[in-house]
Amino acid sequence: QGFFDDTDLDERDDDGATTHAIGLCGGVAGGAVRFYPLDEPGLWKGDRLAVLPAFRRYGLGKPLVRFAVRRAGELGGRVMVATVQVRNVSFFEHLGWRRTGAPAEYLGHPHQGMAIDLSP
C-alpha cells in the first residue's frame, strides 16, 4: 500500500514469539497476518494484515483474523489489540472487535485502535 519507504521489516519479524500466518487461496499465497504477545501478560497485538487485491473478493481476510485471534487465545492471551485503517473498522467490528479510543494518524493515514477479548 506504499505506507513504508523501503520495507516494513522490524524487530518483531525475527522475534521467536511472533507468529506469521499465510492465507492460501487455491494453493496461492494471497494474504498474511502476524501477531505476538506484548509486555503486559495476556495482551497480544495483531498487525500487518494484508490481502492482495485479487484475493479480497474471496474473503481471505476473515480466516486470517480469526486464526490470529484463536491462536493467541490458545497461547494464553486474554485480549488482542490492533490498529486498523479507518476504512476497515466495520470489517473488524463484524468479526467481534470493538473500537478503543479515537482515530489517529499513523504513517499519514487515519487508523483506529481496536480490541477483542480472546477468552472462549
Side-chain angles (χ1 to χ4, degrees), residues 18-24 31-36 44 46 49 59-75 80 91-92 95 97 116 118:
T18 299
T19 298
H20 300 264
I22 301 293
L24 299 176
V33 69
R34 74 175 184 178
F35 54 100
Y36 46 87
W44 283 68
L49 174 66
L60 191 54
K62 288 180 185 179
L64 283 167
V65 172
R66 288 181 175 142
F67 170 77
V69 167
R70 183 182 72 249
R71 187 68 185 131
E74 292 169 353
L75 293 170
M80 180 177 275
F91 168 80
F92 279 85
L95 294 174
W97 293 67
I116 189 168
L118 300 178

Side-chain angles (χ1 to χ4, degrees), residues 53-97:
F55 295 90
R56 291 177 186 158
R57 66 179 176 210
Y58 300 112
L60 191 54
K62 288 180 185 179
L64 283 167
V65 172
R66 288 181 175 142
F67 170 77
V69 167
R70 183 182 72 249
R71 187 68 185 131
E74 292 169 353
L75 293 170
R78 293 178 296 100
V79 174
M80 180 177 275
V81 296
T83 304
V84 307
Q85 294 174 46
V86 168
R87 67 181 182 191
N88 295 325
V89 167
S90 62
F91 168 80
F92 279 85
E93 287 177 330
H94 177 74
L95 294 174
W97 293 67

Side-chain angles (χ1 to χ4, degrees), residues 92-111:
F92 279 85
E93 287 177 330
H94 177 74
L95 294 174
W97 293 67
R98 66 185 179 284
R99 298 173 197 219
T100 59
E105 194 131 321
Y106 176 71
L107 297 173
H109 300 273
H111 281 68

Side-chain angles (χ1 to χ4, degrees), residues 5-23:
D5 291 333
D6 185 29
T7 179
D8 65 350
L9 291 175
D10 63 19
E11 69 281 352
R12 294 287 182 186
D13 287 305
D14 291 328
D15 187 330
T18 299
T19 298
H20 300 264
I22 301 293

